[in-house]
Amino acid sequence: MYTDFLHLLFSELKPWLTIISSFGAFASAVAALFALRHMKSQTKSSYKPDLYLAFYTSNNINYHVNEFSFPFTVTTGEQTIETHGLLYTIENIGFGAAKDIQIKWLFDFDKAIDYIEKDLKDILTVEKTGPVTHFNTKAPKNSYPFVLESFDTTTFDFVLPRKDEKFRMSPCVPDNITTLLRMYFMLKEELYTPKKHLPYILSLDFSELKGFPVPTAKISYLDIGGNSHKKTFKVSFYISIYRDKISNDLLQFNISPEFKEV
């Protein structure tokens, strides 16, 4: 009789046990799915690229009188190269490859030229003709033309993680940015600075000039999963020179730029 009771009880509970078992299997499947998605997300994040911009260790300049587009001597490790552009490097400090990299430069030339005109109003005048700006010095009378050209977006197909240094990219800061900065500095130094105590070192930190625009580089790229990443870097420039105490010749011209992520 007791056996019959158990059999009857089991018959009554069997549908409920089946339902409970089904719910348990479903819950296990959902948990496994979430765990799988979490692992996939962790795997993707572990291969996320992280790009940043940096300048090489040395950007000394071989200076020639009245030449404002002179070459840079850049030291890259054990190699020294000469270039007319200010080289920088794109480094990937993340663990995954970056692809479809785009770098766009921004700089307010009109604001910079207005700043230069106001600062050096005693020694020069500014004449604008289309894309050409002439800096006309009063004494001695000279004209230094500056041609404004639009920036092209710099693109790269991919940048591998930092360990693969042979794939490091080395583009240039747009030449008309550095040309305008050097023209301003040299005109200020040549015509506006007393040279009574030679030799001397003259320096200028552009980041300390209130109202002077700051060059900006915006970089965007994709990771291997197709996710978009964006960064913005501002550039500070520090320029210094050293003159000979007898001949007054310029012995060294050094420009030290630095990227700062914002």
Side-chain angles (χ1 to χ4, degrees), residues 53 55 88 102-109 111 151-154 172-174 176-178 181 212-220 230-237 258-262:
L53 308 180
F55 286 99
Y88 63 96
Q102 295 187 351
I103 303 175
K104 183 175 179 61
W105 282 87
L106 304 173
F107 186 68
D108 192 336
F109 283 98
K111 188 175 181 180
F151 299 150
D152 293 327
T153 300
T154 303
C172 292
V173 176
N176 46 6
I177 292 180
T178 53
L181 298 185
F212 196 89
V214 179
T216 303
K218 291 183 175 292
I219 182 171
S220 62
K230 295 181 180 180
K231 286 188 173 185
T232 300
F233 295 85
K234 291 187 179 296
V235 186
S236 60
F237 287 93
E258 180 183 4
F259 280 110
K260 295 180 180 179
E261 186 177 354
V262 295

Side-chain angles (χ1 to χ4, degrees), residues 109-110 113-114 117 126-130 132-134:
F109 283 98
D110 289 333
I113 292 171
D114 289 343
E117 182 178 18
V126 173
E127 178 185 354
K128 296 181 181 179
T129 307
V132 182
T133 297
H134 292 271

Side-chain angles (χ1 to χ4, degrees), residues 1 37 61 95 102 106 122 156 169 184 193 195 214 219 222:
M1 190 170 182
R37 291 184 63 181
I61 297 171
F95 296 98
Q102 295 187 351
L106 304 173
D122 294 338
F156 295 99
M169 305 302 176
Y184 168 52
T193 305
K195 302 177 177 61
V214 179
I219 182 171
L222 303 177

Side-chain angles (χ1 to χ4, degrees), residues 45-53 90-99 159-162 219 221-223 229-231 233 261:
S45 63
S46 66
Y47 288 98
K48 178 182 175 182
D50 187 8
L51 300 188
Y52 79 101
L53 308 180
I90 308 172
E91 296 194 22
N92 186 352
I93 60 175
F95 296 98
K99 62 181 183 178
V159 177
L160 296 181
R162 192 173 187 174
I219 182 171
Y221 54 96
L222 303 177
D223 59 29
H229 305 272
K230 295 181 180 180
K231 286 188 173 185
F233 295 85
E261 186 177 354

Side-chain angles (χ1 to χ4, degrees), residues 55-238:
F55 286 99
Y56 287 105
T57 56
S58 174
N59 282 295
N60 295 322
I61 297 171
N62 298 323
Y63 174 73
H64 301 283
V65 178
N66 293 332
E67 292 185 13
F68 293 99
S69 186
F70 32 81
F72 293 94
T73 302
V74 181
T75 302
T76 61
E78 298 180 353
Q79 184 181 12
T80 299
I81 59 176
E82 190 174 89
T83 172
H84 282 270
L86 186 58
L87 288 175
Y88 63 96
T89 178
I90 308 172
E91 296 194 22
N92 186 352
I93 60 175
F95 296 98
K99 62 181 183 178
D100 297 337
I101 300 98
Q102 295 187 351
I103 303 175
K104 183 175 179 61
W105 282 87
L106 304 173
F107 186 68
D108 192 336
F109 283 98
D110 289 333
K111 188 175 181 180
I113 292 171
D114 289 343
Y115 184 98
I116 295 172
E117 182 178 18
K118 291 178 181 178
D119 187 44
L120 304 182
K121 61 183 179 181
D122 294 338
I123 63 171
L124 61 76
T125 60
V126 173
E127 178 185 354
K128 296 181 181 179
T129 307
V132 182
T133 297
H134 292 271
F135 294 94
N136 303 315
T137 57
K138 298 177 181 179
K141 288 187 177 182
N142 285 311
S143 181
Y144 300 93
F146 171 75
V147 181
L148 179 59
E149 299 176 349
S150 60
F151 299 150
D152 293 327
T153 300
T154 303
T155 61
F156 295 99
D157 292 332
F158 63 91
V159 177
L160 296 181
R162 192 173 187 174
K163 62 182 180 180
D164 300 303
E165 293 190 2
K166 63 181 179 179
F167 293 107
R168 182 182 296 175
M169 305 302 176
S170 298
C172 292
V173 176
D175 186 60
N176 46 6
I177 292 180
T178 53
T179 297
L180 184 62
L181 298 185
R182 289 178 290 182
M183 287 181 71
Y184 168 52
F185 181 84
M186 294 310 300
L187 287 170
K188 188 179 181 72
E189 190 278 333
E190 287 279 0
L191 304 175
Y192 214 51
T193 305
K195 302 177 177 61
K196 297 179 180 178
H197 305 289
L198 299 175
Y200 72 91
I201 297 176
L202 180 69
S203 62
L204 177 63
D205 187 345
F206 280 86
S207 65
E208 296 181 354
L209 300 182
K210 293 183 179 180
F212 196 89
V214 179
T216 303
K218 291 183 175 292
I219 182 171
S220 62
Y221 54 96
L222 303 177
D223 59 29
I224 56 176
N227 300 306
S228 178
H229 305 272
K230 295 181 180 180
K231 286 188 173 185
T232 300
F233 295 85
K234 291 187 179 296
V235 186
S236 60
F237 287 93
Y238 180 85

